[in-house]
Amino acid sequence: STLSSTIAHTDMLFLRFAIATDHYVIEASHVAEVLPWLALKRRPAAPPWVAGAFSYRGESVPVIDLTHLATGVPAPARRSTRLVLVHYPAPGPSARRLGVLVERATDTLRADAAAFQPSGVDLSEGRYLGPVLDTDDGLVQWVRVDQLLTDAARALLFDAARDAMAEAAAARPASGESP
């Protein structure tokens, strides 16, 4: 029974999805919600992998197209393309919400995190691509949510939105003042 509790303890739940014909996973603990593809507010002059933003419970949430980021080609507009709302950079009180467009995010995978092995390829542009797992369906690669954005991308998506909200709040008259 000790062995079975040890194995159960190391098993993790992942959301499984695709980029073109390749399979990937994100830790389920990072996933806040999986939504259907929504109409997004485009961000003019943003990099092409920035899909836009949408309002989620009164908060503006930036959305990246992971297929476009990885391949240079936008995710196809299909019913199976999903908007995965993740806790960025990790779950916790300081987490921000980030939308990630992915293809075929329709099932989960339970796997031992220690069974994932280095991919053998280390690309600075693909820093979010983690180790791989050999499954019955072929290799599955772990996408590291905390590595999805560079410092510059994080500033573009989050800091600009925060600054705009602060400017808008400063431009509003204080309570009791006339406009």
Side-chain angles (χ1 to χ4, degrees):
S1 74
T2 305
L3 180 59
S4 64
S5 64
T6 303
I7 291 172
H9 180 69
T10 59
D11 269 5
M12 293 177 60
L13 186 63
F14 295 90
L15 175 66
R16 187 176 175 137
F17 63 95
I19 295 176
T21 58
D22 297 320
H23 297 277
Y24 297 86
V25 293
I26 293 177
E27 277 179 70
S29 65
H30 280 271
V31 177
E33 197 167 342
V34 178
L35 303 167
W37 186 317
L38 304 171
L40 301 173
K41 165 72 174 94
R42 304 297 291 171
R43 293 196 165 181
W49 49 265
V50 175
F54 74 105
S55 180
Y56 180 80
R57 298 182 182 170
E59 175 188 352
S60 179
V61 177
V63 178
I64 64 169
D65 182 338
L66 190 54
T67 299
H68 203 270
L69 181 63
T71 67
V73 177
R78 294 188 182 127
R79 285 190 303 171
S80 61
T81 300
R82 299 281 188 259
L83 196 160
V84 179
L85 194 59
V86 299
H87 303 288
Y88 178 85
S94 62
R96 303 288 306 263
R97 289 189 178 98
L98 175 66
V100 182
L101 277 179
V102 297
E103 302 172 50
R104 300 188 305 278
T106 55
D107 68 347
T108 58
L109 171 72
R110 187 169 292 281
D112 183 350
F116 284 80
Q117 300 297 314
S119 68
V121 179
D122 188 19
L123 301 171
S124 61
E125 294 83 21
R127 73 206 156 279
Y128 53 87
L129 296 173
V132 296
L133 177 69
D134 194 2
T135 70
D136 293 341
D137 297 327
L139 288 180
V140 173
Q141 191 158 27
W142 189 336
V143 171
R144 305 290 194 174
V145 169
D146 64 331
Q147 297 295 313
L148 278 172
L149 303 177
T150 62
D151 290 343
R154 190 171 29 261
L156 171 75
L157 296 176
F158 292 120
D159 295 349
R162 182 197 64 218
D163 294 348
M165 290 175 71
E167 287 174 15
R172 281 190 296 245
S175 179
E177 291 180 17
S178 59

